[in-house]
Amino acid sequence: MKTKIIDGKLIASKVKDEIKAEVAVMIKNCEDTPHLAAIIVGEDPASQTYVASKEKAARSVGITSSIYKYPADTTEEDLLNAIDFINNDDEINGLIVQLPLPDHINVNKVIEHINPNKDVDGFHPLNVGKMVIGQPSYVSATPAGIMELLKRYQIETEGKHCVVLGRSNIVGSPVSILMSKKTNPGNSTVTICHSKTKDMESITRQADILICAIGVPNFVKADMVKEGAVVIDVGMHRIPADNEKGYKITGDVDFEDVKQKATFITPVPGGVGPMTIAMILKNTLLAHKKEYYS
Ligand code: GUN
């Protein structure tokens, strides 16, 4: 089987180059340029790293980036006021509130407080609802990144059986809806598997396209995959390893095992991960232009 490794780093850099070119034209014409704001509450190291890489990526394409850092004991009211402040700032086009938030803050209340027109994470119920009924909206970055990879690798999805492992609000649910839409990529027959699914292997073995967002390292083995399937791995886990760093990054898919059976497969790292940040930037550019994901 000739397996193609989907190069998410390469596609993400193409998406970023396209954004950079559009922003360069705005600069040349002395127009306003896009501005992304990120709010981070507390000291979660993964969140700090994630927000720092978003800022670096934004700057690399000419998007202005502002980070608002708040201590872990910030009250919900203070956070909502900070969101109001950014909602009302006409110079800021996109706002993300980095998750997870401390336990004393109601995450749904926070997301619903973000102006849907600045919700470049696509988490606001209005954007989620519009995405479901096929209206212009902001689509959350990881599902949008997966669709972009399928599109740019010209992977046929119409009439295919797409099996999605995981039903999270951020990945599993939205990507299963996008794959079922009358679009290209899309038009697939979609099955969602989750923790209560019986005999999951018998379902995954029917998948022409298998999207893995289940959150368990190396969960998907070769015997769960159909010969010739397209395998998209959304997982990202740090597991102990016998190397200098003492750890390695792995996905939900046992890559070396599954690789021989797949026609296309995303690696971890370097697959879906880099696309997430690229799509946040794309959503910010769209928000600046008052356009939506399509
Ligand atoms: N935490 C983990 N992933 C994400 C994301 O895509 N957006 C936000 N806001 N927080 C996250």
Side-chain angles (χ1 to χ4, degrees), residues 179-194:
M179 287 300 288
S180 72
K181 287 268 153 211
K182 219 173 185 174
T183 51
N184 183 22
N187 267 323
S188 293
T189 303
V190 179
T191 304
I192 305 177
C193 296
H194 47 73

Side-chain angles (χ1 to χ4, degrees), residues 4 27 53 59 79 111 120 201 227 273:
K4 278 210 178 112
I27 295 170
S53 18
R59 287 185 194 282
L79 179 57
I111 290 172
V120 290
E201 290 81 355
E227 195 80 30

Side-chain angles (χ1 to χ4, degrees), residues 47 50 54 96-100 121 123 140-142 170 276 280:
S47 293
Y50 193 45
K54 276 190 268 211
I96 55 182
V97 177
Q98 188 62 30
L99 305 180
D121 255 330
F123 291 170
S140 70
T142 303
I170 296 185
T276 300
I280 286 277

Side-chain angles (χ1 to χ4, degrees), residues 12-31:
S13 81
K14 282 189 182 167
V15 171
K16 285 189 276 184
D17 284 348
E18 290 161 12
I19 297 169
K20 194 173 179 176
E22 276 202 51
V23 176
V25 173
M26 293 171 190
I27 295 170
K28 191 165 160 246
N29 294 341
C30 301
E31 292 165 10

Side-chain angles (χ1 to χ4, degrees), residues 38-43 48 51-52 55 66-72 74:
I39 294 181
I40 179 162
V41 184
E43 304 294 331
Q48 306 272 347
V51 167
E55 177 172 51
S66 307
I67 301 183
Y68 297 81
K69 288 189 177 180
Y70 293 90
T74 299

